[in-house]
């Protein structure tokens, strides 16, 4: 087909491929040619020199026969020429033999070199083949490893998606209106934490978050009065009461999950954790004895039923500020690091027997509405009981304060026993310390043995109160008091230096009553 102004002919054929430049190499470009020529020149030169060397002793002409008869001279000349010819023939033969030998040596050297070159080329080719094979194997291995990593990555992504979906589903179950669904969600979370170690802290956070949700029990009876003719309640129980009871069971299961996985004795079930946030939570009948609890926050929590922490180990900062214990609280044998019990209310008995406080401890404004037991407790660092209220029987027998103890503003309302207490740094019982006593005969403030000494104890502020309760007891039980506070004594009281150590003294009235016990009861 032709178009105006355009000529379309046959397409030009592609140019031939460029010839290999090595195909045009001249013969003199080969190193072997030059090696052969050099060897030939060397052999020719060697043969020439050897020929001259072999023919040098051969005379050029027969010896002079002048004076001999012609027949004898002819005969001698013929013999000499024949000998010379033979010598020259031997020289040529030796020269040719030497040349042949040199040629053979050159050929042998060339053959050896060629063989070495061939073997080296073969070895290089084999090494190259091995390198190529190794490269192919490494490449195949890299591709296989890459494929495996990709597969593992896909499987990990799929696993993480399944875990995330399971966790989201479990958390969504916790928001269900059906208690059975919420229980299933808790068990699903527990199963996720048990299988996947890296998610245990997350699961604990979710369980603690559920326990922090607002919850109020319906403990009060209905105030609606029924007609006198009816002896049984009308209708089914209210839905609100059922909901509270069901939610209470769900929360008990959540507590059981914590209790099950915070005890190091259950090695396969124990979960390592870095925090437990249970502030503002509602907890009932807690059983965390022998558990290891790290950085726990129980601030403003409410404990109903017995709270059992016997033998527990608290690590990190522990907070109980504003917490309410409506029933018995048992901390016997517990070890605390940094602990805060400020503004806590114990409505039931509080047991701290044998408890070890390794860091600063604060019991400021704590209210012990029932009995408080600190028998054999050890305070390694500062202990602050400022403004604490001991309304029930208080037992501090055998307690050891290895650092400063402060009881300023503390109130002891009933029987209080401080037998064999040890203060190694000092104690403050300021002027605000009160002992509101009704039956003073039943109260023992400092009933320590006569041979017991308070090391470096200081009673700051006036020792004597208006009702004279504390000084009378200190006097009666012969407590050793720092002699430096003698100037703070009220009228009628003196400090009599102890015979064994003049730094200490004992309270004594200027006019000693005949019967100290009867005087105390008055």
């Amino acid at each position: 087909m032709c178009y105006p102004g355009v000529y379309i002919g046959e397409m030009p054929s592609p140019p031939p491929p460029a010839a290999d430049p090595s195909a045009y190499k001249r013969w003199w470009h080969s190193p072997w040619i030059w090696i052969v020529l050099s060897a030939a020149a060397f052999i020719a030169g060697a043969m020439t020199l050897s020929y001259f060397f072999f023919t040098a002793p051969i005379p050029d002409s027969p010896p002079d026969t002048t004076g001999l008869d012609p027949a004898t001279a002819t005969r001698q000349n013929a013999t000499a020429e024949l000998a010379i010819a033979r010598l020259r023939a031997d020289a040529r033969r030796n020269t040719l033999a030497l040349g042949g030998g040199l040629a053979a040596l050159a050929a042998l050297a060339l053959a050896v070199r060629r063989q070495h070159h061939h073997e080296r080329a073969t070895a290089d080719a084999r090494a190259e083949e091995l390198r190529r094979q190794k490269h192919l194997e490494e490449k195949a291995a890299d591709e296989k490893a890459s494929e495996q990593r990709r597969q593992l990555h896909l499987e990990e992504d799929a696993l993480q998606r399944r875990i995330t979906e399971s966790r989201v589903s479990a958390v969504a179950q916790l928001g269900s209106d059906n208690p059975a669904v919420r229980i299933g969600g808790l068990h699903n979370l527990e199963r996720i934490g048990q299988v996947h170690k890296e998610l245990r802290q997350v699961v604990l956070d979710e369980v603690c978050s559920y326990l922090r949700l607002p919850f109020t029990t319906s403990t009060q009876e209905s105030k609606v009065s029924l007609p006198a003719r009816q002896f049984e309640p009308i209708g089914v129980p209210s839905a609100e009461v059922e909901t509270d009871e069901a939610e209470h069971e769900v929360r008990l299961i959540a507590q059981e999950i914590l209790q099950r996985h915070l005890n190091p004795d259950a090695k396969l079930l124990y979960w390592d954790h870095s925090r437990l946030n249970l502030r503002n939570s509602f907890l009932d009948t807690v059983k965390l004895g022998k558990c290891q609890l790290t950085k726990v926050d129980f601030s403003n929590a409410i404990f109903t039923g017995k709270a059992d922490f016997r033998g527990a180990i608290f690590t990190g900062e522990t907070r109980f500020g504003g917490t309410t214990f409506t029933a018995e609280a048992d901390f016997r044998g517990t070890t605390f690091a940094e602990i805060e019990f400020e503004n806590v209310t114990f409505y039931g008995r509080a047991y701290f027997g044998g408890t070890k406080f390794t860091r600063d401890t604060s019991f400021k404004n704590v209210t012990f509405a029932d009995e408080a037991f600190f028998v054999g407790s050890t305070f390694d660092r500062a202990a602050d009981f400022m403004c604490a209220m001991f309304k029930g029987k208080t037992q501090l027998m055998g307690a050891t304060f290895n650092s400063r103890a402060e009881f300023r503003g503390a109130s002891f309302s009933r029987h209080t026993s401080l037998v064999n207490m040890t203060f190694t740094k000092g104690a403050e019982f300021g002027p605000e310390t009160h002992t509101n006593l009704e039956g003073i005969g039943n109260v023992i403030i400092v009933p320590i043995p006569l041979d017991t000494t308070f090391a470096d104890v200081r009673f700051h502020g006036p020792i004597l109160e208006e009702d004279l309760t504390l000084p009378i007891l200190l006097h009666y039980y012969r407590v050793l008091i720092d002699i430096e506070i003698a100037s703070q004594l009220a009228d009628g009281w003196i400090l009599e230096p102890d015979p064994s150590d003049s730094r200490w003294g004992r309270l004594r009235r200027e006019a000693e009553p005949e019967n100290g016990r009867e005087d105390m009861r008055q």
Side-chain angles (χ1 to χ4, degrees), residues 210-248:
Y210 185 81
L211 291 173
R212 291 199 308 270
L213 294 176
F215 175 70
T216 303
T217 57
S218 298
T219 57
Q220 296 181 351
E221 297 181 357
S222 175
K223 296 182 180 180
V224 179
S225 58
L226 297 178
R229 64 180 181 274
Q230 293 182 345
F231 301 94
E232 295 181 357
I234 299 176
V236 298
S238 64
E240 181 180 0
V241 174
E242 289 183 347
T243 301
D244 287 347
E245 293 178 353
E247 175 61 14
H248 183 237

Side-chain angles (χ1 to χ4, degrees), residues 156-178:
E156 182 67 20
D157 286 346
L159 178 62
Q160 292 300 327
R161 284 196 298 271
R162 290 196 298 270
I163 293 174
T164 302
E165 292 173 358
S166 300
R167 190 169 66 86
V168 171
S169 175
V171 173
Q173 287 178 302
L174 296 181
S176 173
D177 294 335
N178 190 337

Side-chain angles (χ1 to χ4, degrees), residues 30 83 174 237 262 349 401 458 483 521:
S30 176
L174 296 181
L262 296 177
R349 293 180 177 180
F401 294 85
R458 299 290 185 271
I483 201 70
R521 292 181 179 275

Side-chain angles (χ1 to χ4, degrees), residues 223-441:
K223 296 182 180 180
V224 179
S225 58
L226 297 178
R229 64 180 181 274
Q230 293 182 345
F231 301 94
E232 295 181 357
I234 299 176
V236 298
S238 64
E240 181 180 0
V241 174
E242 289 183 347
T243 301
D244 287 347
E245 293 178 353
E247 175 61 14
H248 183 237
E249 293 299 324
V250 177
R251 286 176 172 268
L252 289 179
I253 292 175
Q255 290 180 198
E256 290 175 1
I257 293 176
L258 296 181
Q259 295 161 180
R260 195 160 37 238
H261 297 288
L262 296 177
N263 191 341
D265 292 341
K267 297 181 179 179
L268 297 179
L269 296 178
Y270 177 71
W271 290 359
D272 288 325
H273 57 284
S274 59
R275 62 186 178 276
L276 290 173
N277 185 2
L278 289 167
R279 58 185 305 131
N280 301 315
S281 58
F282 179 89
L283 304 172
D284 183 24
T285 316
V286 173
K287 298 178 181 179
L288 293 175
K290 298 183 179 181
C291 290
Q292 183 168 336
L293 309 172
T294 302
K295 200 175 180 180
V296 190
D297 189 354
F298 287 112
S299 301
N300 299 314
I302 297 177
F303 289 84
T304 62
K306 180 179 179 180
D308 186 359
F309 290 93
R310 288 178 296 177
I313 299 176
F314 290 82
T315 60
E317 184 181 3
T318 304
R319 297 181 179 179
F320 278 91
T323 302
T324 301
F325 292 88
T326 62
E328 180 179 303
D330 194 344
F331 291 92
R332 285 176 289 185
T334 303
T335 300
F336 288 103
E338 188 172 352
I339 181 68
E340 174 196 343
F341 274 102
E342 296 184 5
N343 300 306
V344 175
T345 301
F346 293 91
Y347 286 102
R349 293 180 177 180
Y351 292 95
F352 288 90
T355 304
K356 188 175 181 62
F357 300 88
T358 61
R359 300 291 297 275
D360 292 348
T361 304
S362 177
F363 281 90
K364 287 183 179 180
N365 299 312
V366 173
T367 300
F368 295 93
D370 205 329
E371 299 179 359
F373 297 88
F374 287 85
V375 179
S377 298
T378 302
F379 296 83
D380 291 335
R381 300 285 292 273
D384 188 354
F385 286 86
M386 183 183 296
C387 298
M389 297 180 64
F390 297 86
K391 295 184 178 181
K393 179 180 179 180
T394 304
Q395 296 285 347
L396 286 166
M397 295 183 297
T400 300
F401 294 85
N402 292 322
S403 187
R404 189 160 193 80
E406 184 168 342
F407 287 86
R408 286 183 298 174
S411 175
F412 297 86
S413 299
R414 296 184 61 188
H415 182 94
T416 302
S417 177
L418 308 181
V419 176
N420 292 328
M421 290 179 62
T422 301
F423 294 86
T424 61
K425 293 294 183 180
E428 287 195 16
F429 294 85
E432 299 86 5
T433 302
H434 300 287
T435 54
N436 301 321
L437 310 174
E438 297 179 358
I440 195 168

Side-chain angles (χ1 to χ4, degrees), residues 8-44:
I8 301 178
E10 295 183 358
M11 295 296 292
S13 59
D20 187 3
S22 62
Y24 295 95
K25 289 182 178 180
R26 299 295 185 265
W27 60 270
W28 57 78
H29 291 166
S30 176
W32 291 103
I33 297 298
W34 291 103
I35 293 174
V36 172
L37 292 177
S38 300
F42 175 76
I43 294 172

Side-chain angles (χ1 to χ4, degrees), residues 49-60:
L49 293 175
S50 64
Y51 180 74
F52 284 112
F53 176 76
F54 290 138
T55 57
I58 302 174
D60 293 335

